[in-house]
Amino acid sequence: YELLIFYSSIFFIVIIGLIDDFIKVNTFKKIIFQIFVIILTLYGLGLDQVSIFLFPSNYFINYIFLIIFVLGFMNSINLIDGIDNIAAMLSIVISIFFMLLSKAIGFNEINIFFYMVIGCLVSYLLYNNFYKRIFIGDAGSLFLGWLFSIISIFFINYSNEVTINFSFAFLCIPVFDVIYVMISRFYKARNQIFLNRIKSIFIPDKTHLHHSLLKLGINSFMICFVLCSVLFVISLIYIKYIFYFDIVYKYLFINILFAIYIYIRIKIDRLI
């Protein structure tokens, strides 16, 4: 039953991605559909009561946080996919550390998904770079984001040692990028009414991290290499050291990472 729910959710997420690849879907309609799938999936898998933060004790408030978490993390992979190979290469790094975490907590059954993901993405990179016959599209990037976000909640539900911080560590580059861009868009629309400022958050632009690095004259290959290397180092530090610390230090680690990211992004944007 749970596998049926899980695979059905993947099917619907990929379908909305495919439709968006061929026929541009309105952002609000796409988000509403995603929220609908998230609500049904979390309830169907019995994950609706998983607490990802310490403070919300109300069921409905916690459910809202779960929805925002899945929605944000799922779309972060989609939004970082602005240059060739970046989503696939980052997802390979993320999958490797998901596998290492699953081994650390004894949740080895889930690793089959990550073996499949890594195998598919290596094949994708081969066909995309040498044969130019395939691209990942919204269907692929949404699928990857969906898999990472749902399995993150599985991990939190499986072990008390796992907190939401590991998701922020393993997906820090795409997630921090989305947060920064949304804040930036909201701030730039400060002269408009509040509703229009909210709408501006969802209007696509060229302010993502890879766009800024391209404007600095850095080529796509080097951007992919640097971002994947940074993500690898951060994830390695987390899995080797921070994972075993108290929860206060885990939150502190993520906050420091985010502060460093904001500082670097502001410096980069000023150079453009």
Side-chain angles (χ1 to χ4, degrees), residues 19-248:
I19 294 171
D20 200 30
D21 283 328
F22 289 99
I23 307 168
K24 192 62 180 177
V25 180
N26 179 276
T27 303
F28 291 101
K29 290 180 181 178
K30 188 165 61 174
I31 289 174
I32 290 170
F33 182 83
Q34 289 174 357
I35 291 173
F36 179 72
V37 175
I38 292 168
I39 292 171
L40 293 181
T41 304
L42 291 176
Y43 183 79
L45 295 176
L47 300 174
D48 52 308
Q49 298 191 40
V50 175
S51 181
I52 57 173
F53 294 109
L54 300 177
F55 53 88
S57 56
N58 183 278
Y59 169 80
F60 294 103
I61 295 176
N62 184 68
Y63 208 166
I64 291 171
F65 276 113
L66 281 171
I67 293 168
I68 294 171
F69 167 77
V70 176
L71 186 68
F73 275 65
M74 174 177 62
N75 283 286
S76 68
I77 301 294
N78 182 32
L79 296 173
I80 200 71
D81 185 36
I83 57 175
D84 242 2
N85 304 322
I86 185 66
M89 292 179 67
L90 286 174
S91 294
I92 289 173
V93 175
I94 294 165
S95 297
I96 289 170
F97 283 97
F98 265 81
M99 290 169 63
L100 291 175
L101 180 61
S102 69
K103 287 183 180 296
I105 64 175
F107 194 19
N108 296 316
E109 299 86 351
I110 205 75
N111 278 348
I112 183 62
F113 290 107
F114 298 114
Y115 283 122
M116 290 191 296
V117 166
I118 292 172
C120 290
L121 291 176
V122 169
S123 301
Y124 157 76
L125 290 172
L126 175 67
Y127 278 94
N128 180 53
N129 288 285
F130 296 101
Y131 297 99
K132 305 293 183 183
R133 292 178 57 187
I134 191 171
F135 74 103
I136 201 166
D138 285 344
S141 57
L142 284 175
F143 159 74
L144 292 168
W146 177 258
L147 191 69
F148 294 142
S149 56
I150 293 296
I151 291 182
S152 293
I153 301 176
F154 270 121
F155 276 32
I156 296 168
N157 188 46
Y158 181 84
S159 173
N160 292 329
E161 297 177 12
V162 181
T163 63
I164 192 64
N165 298 282
F166 90 91
S167 297
F168 282 97
F170 293 173
L171 286 91
C172 61
I173 288 178
V175 170
F176 289 171
D177 178 62
V178 168
I179 295 172
Y180 177 86
V181 168
M182 291 178 70
I183 294 172
S184 175
R185 289 172 182 170
F186 185 81
Y187 175 76
K188 288 177 181 177
R190 58 187 178 276
N191 295 325
Q192 302 179 28
I193 61 173
F194 184 77
L195 183 60
N196 287 339
R197 295 183 74 181
I198 295 295
K199 289 180 179 178
S200 69
I201 291 174
F202 304 100
I203 299 173
D205 57 17
K206 299 288 185 180
T207 57
H208 288 283
L209 176 59
H210 47 274
H211 293 134
S212 297
L213 294 175
L214 283 172
K215 290 174 184 176
L216 288 177
I218 305 173
N219 62 50
S220 298
F221 173 80
M222 189 56 65
I223 292 172
C224 291
F225 176 78
V226 170
L227 294 184
C228 287
S229 299
V230 170
L231 184 63
F232 186 90
V233 171
I234 291 171
S235 300
L236 186 62
I237 292 171
Y238 184 89
I239 200 72
K240 190 169 179 61
Y241 302 108
I242 308 300
F243 176 70
Y244 301 99
F245 286 4
D246 290 337
I247 191 168
V248 174

